[in-house]
């Protein structure tokens, strides 16, 4: 069982990671997704204006779907990037836990000082992982921007 201090520090690192990820996703949403959504909705309005009361509904539906395709694709792109990021983060965290578990023996479990050392090493590993993944948010935003740029051309 992890000490309350370890749990609190691990929770602080978790909050740090979540906060950084939320900021990155919010920035993507505000700077990339909203403008794309706006274009999508404008395009749909143009479909309705062109269709008027004379074009068949199938043609209107086709036009509207084509307008919305880039916006919908953008959500898929972001979801893929976020899932990939979460997978990498999860694997790194599991590696930290595996390394700590490998160092725990019955002898270590009986010695509070040795257990504290193991806890410190896992916390250090988690801290490095969080810092590395926060840095990776920048390239992730660039990949998303590049992918969205490709679908809007």
């Amino acid at each position: 069982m992890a000490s309350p201090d370890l749990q609190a520090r691990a929770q602080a690192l978790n909050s740090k990671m979540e906060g950084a990820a939320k900021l990155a996703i919010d920035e993507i949403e505000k700077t990339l997704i909203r403008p794309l959504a706006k274009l999508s909705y404008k395009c749909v309005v143009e479909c309705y204006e062109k269709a008027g009361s004379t074009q068949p509904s199938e043609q209107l539906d086709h036009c509207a779907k084509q307008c919305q395709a880039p916006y919908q694709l953008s959500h898929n792109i972001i979801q893929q990037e976020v899932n990939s990021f979460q997978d990498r983060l999860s694997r790194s965290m599991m590696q930290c836990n595996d390394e700590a578990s490998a160092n725990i023996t019955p002898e270590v479990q009986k010695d509070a000082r040795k257990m504290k050392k193991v806890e410190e090493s896992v916390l250090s590993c988690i801290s490095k992982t969080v810092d590395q993944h926060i840095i990776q948010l920048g390239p992730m935003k660039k990949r998303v921007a590049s992918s969205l740029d490709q679908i809007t051309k």
Side-chain angles (χ1 to χ4, degrees), residues 60-88:
L60 175 62
D61 288 343
H62 177 71
C63 180
K65 283 179 184 174
Q66 286 205 278
C67 289
Q68 294 169 339
Y71 178 64
Q72 291 172 342
L73 185 56
S74 71
H75 285 282
N76 293 343
I77 290 167
I78 291 169
Q79 194 59 51
Q80 272 184 307
E81 279 292 341
V82 168
N83 287 345
S84 178
F85 179 83
Q86 287 174 329
D87 287 346
R88 288 190 308 272

Side-chain angles (χ1 to χ4, degrees), residues 2-152:
S3 71
D5 178 55
L6 176 70
Q7 289 175 347
R9 291 165 61 195
Q11 183 57 42
L13 289 170
N14 185 50
S15 295
K16 179 181 176 181
M17 183 74 252
E18 284 180 2
K22 184 179 181 338
L23 284 174
I25 298 299
D26 285 350
E27 183 181 337
I28 289 169
E29 196 271 330
K30 289 175 184 171
T31 62
L32 301 171
I33 300 299
R34 286 182 189 179
L36 190 56
K38 185 178 175 183
L39 289 174
S40 176
Y41 292 128
K42 280 183 178 180
C43 181
V44 170
V45 168
E46 288 176 16
C47 291
Y48 276 89
E49 287 174 353
K50 287 178 189 173
S53 58
T54 58
Q55 284 187 347
S57 61
E58 294 84 18
Q59 202 170 357
L60 175 62
D61 288 343
H62 177 71
C63 180
K65 283 179 184 174
Q66 286 205 278
C67 289
Q68 294 169 339
Y71 178 64
Q72 291 172 342
L73 185 56
S74 71
H75 285 282
N76 293 343
I77 290 167
I78 291 169
Q79 194 59 51
Q80 272 184 307
E81 279 292 341
V82 168
N83 287 345
S84 178
F85 179 83
Q86 287 174 329
D87 287 346
R88 288 190 308 272
L89 178 61
S90 180
R91 285 192 307 270
S92 294
M93 293 293 190
M94 286 189 330
Q95 180 67 31
C96 291
N97 286 327
D98 288 348
E99 287 173 13
S101 294
N103 290 321
I104 297 175
T105 63
E107 176 190 329
V108 171
Q109 286 178 319
K110 293 176 187 173
D111 187 333
R113 206 174 77 247
K114 289 180 181 178
M115 278 302 292
K116 180 80 171 156
K117 216 173 183 182
V118 171
E119 288 179 354
E120 288 298 326
S121 74
V122 75
L123 196 62
S124 174
C125 182
I126 290 171
S127 180
K128 287 176 190 168
T129 296
V130 165
D131 290 343
Q132 289 168 347
H133 281 78
I134 287 173
I135 290 168
Q136 291 175 18
L137 289 169
M140 181 184 83
K141 289 189 292 188
K142 288 179 183 174
R143 282 191 305 276
V144 168
S146 176
S147 294
L148 294 182
D149 191 43
Q150 294 299 311
I151 64 171
T152 56

